[in-house]
Amino acid sequence: NAGVTQTPKFQVLKTGQSMTLQCAQDMNHNSMYWYRQDPGMGLRLIYYSASEGTTDKGEVPNGYNVSRLNKREFSLRLESAAPSQTSVYFCASSLKTTGSSYEQYFGPGTRLTVT
Amino acid sequence: GQSLEQPSEVTAVEGAIVQINCTYQTSGFYGLSWYQQHDGGAPTFLSYNALDGLEETGRFSSFLSRSDSYGYLLLQELQMKDSASYFCPEGDSNYQLIWGAGTKLIIKP
């Protein structure tokens, strides 16, 4: 099993460009998450999907959109990139059962730079 | 409100024992998790405490006291590979994790 995979690993965008970050998991998990991590900081939740067909905003959703394509895949889209979105983006997944939801499995991350 | 406090940096010697503390202030608290993150890597799950007491997994143990809004991670027989950042995100009623800035653990030979 690959666990959680993310593409791309690195990306450089110019201000105003758009892009989609892809995430897939093969663990049959119900819940999926998108976080961003700025240098020296903890993770901040952008959006999450508690189950297939549902998505909800997290702490910092502005400037982002998501799609839960099916149970395996959860994508994050930046419609018009801004330098403030320069960050490392992590996708994660978890089983949605009491206790188990707090055990999240992370992808390797996408390092995004917006110039 | 929600507020997590951890020391920003802890230094220890290889082979020793180190404790990383975590205090929280939140309503709707459901439990405390611990994650390890190496530089340039992704967070990996270490443990989860929902109830008071000590959970042991190999060289790592995690403790929670709900009455004191306090927990800690204990690392024994420190190895150089334990040099990493450690986070204690708290779980809320929506199964979300709320993360603080974490503790950077530096291990010296």
Side-chain angles (χ1 to χ4, degrees):
Chain A
N1 289 345
V4 181
T5 57
Q6 290 182 238
T7 55
K9 285 189 170 55
F10 299 92
Q11 184 71 49
V12 179
L13 292 177
K14 290 187 165 57
T15 297
Q17 287 185 316
S18 62
M19 78 161 296
T20 300
L21 282 64
Q22 306 287 353
C23 174
Q25 52 91 11
D26 62 2
M27 296 174 284
N28 201 36
H29 284 171
N30 298 311
S31 299
M32 297 186 74
Y33 311 83
W34 276 106
Y35 293 94
R36 61 176 288 175
Q37 185 176 32
D38 298 323
M41 305 284 286
L43 279 70
R44 291 187 291 169
L45 184 65
I46 304 171
Y47 270 94
Y48 66 99
S49 171
S51 60
E52 187 179 353
T54 69
T55 60
D56 286 287
K57 295 178 181 179
E59 180 187 356
V60 289
N62 291 346
Y64 305 94
N65 285 301
V66 290
S67 295
R68 183 75 182 265
L69 305 168
N70 47 55
K71 191 170 186 178
R72 290 186 64 248
E73 298 172 286
F74 188 38
S75 62
L76 178 72
R77 182 159 178 85
L78 286 71
E79 291 291 351
S80 179
S84 61
Q85 294 178 305
T86 293
S87 191
V88 179
Y89 291 84
F90 288 103
C91 176
S93 70
S94 69
L95 284 170
K96 193 182 178 187
T97 58
T98 303
S100 297
S101 281
Y102 303 116
E103 181 175 351
Q104 297 185 3
Y105 294 80
F106 285 80
T110 295
R111 282 144 187 82
L112 175 67
T113 301
V114 183
T115 62
Chain B
Q2 294 157 339
S3 176
L4 279 163
E5 290 189 12
Q6 294 180 244
S8 58
E9 191 175 288
V10 171
T11 302
V13 177
E14 190 177 15
I17 299 172
V18 72
Q19 179 173 310
I20 299 174
N21 298 321
C22 175
T23 59
Y24 61 90
Q25 294 178 332
T26 186
S27 58
F29 172 82
Y30 272 66
L32 208 65
S33 301
W34 286 94
Y35 282 77
Q36 178 192 61
Q37 184 180 30
H38 288 101
D39 283 347
T44 56
F45 175 82
L46 294 176
S47 67
Y48 171 69
N49 294 71
L51 303 175
D52 286 0
L54 192 68
E55 297 276 344
E56 297 180 66
T57 308
R59 294 187 298 113
F60 293 6
S61 303
S62 58
F63 172 83
L64 178 67
S65 169
R66 296 176 75 106
S67 60
D68 296 322
S69 298
Y70 164 75
Y72 65 73
L73 181 70
L74 191 73
L75 295 82
Q76 302 183 69
E77 300 171 18
L78 283 171
Q79 301 175 10
M80 296 303 293
K81 68 178 182 179
D82 298 329
S83 293
S85 291
Y86 291 85
F87 296 89
C88 59
E90 55 182 292
D92 70 10
S93 58
N94 293 317
Y95 298 105
Q96 304 310 313
L97 289 175
I98 298 123
W99 299 70
T103 298
K104 186 175 178 68
L105 175 62
I106 298 168
I107 299 174
K108 298 186 175 179

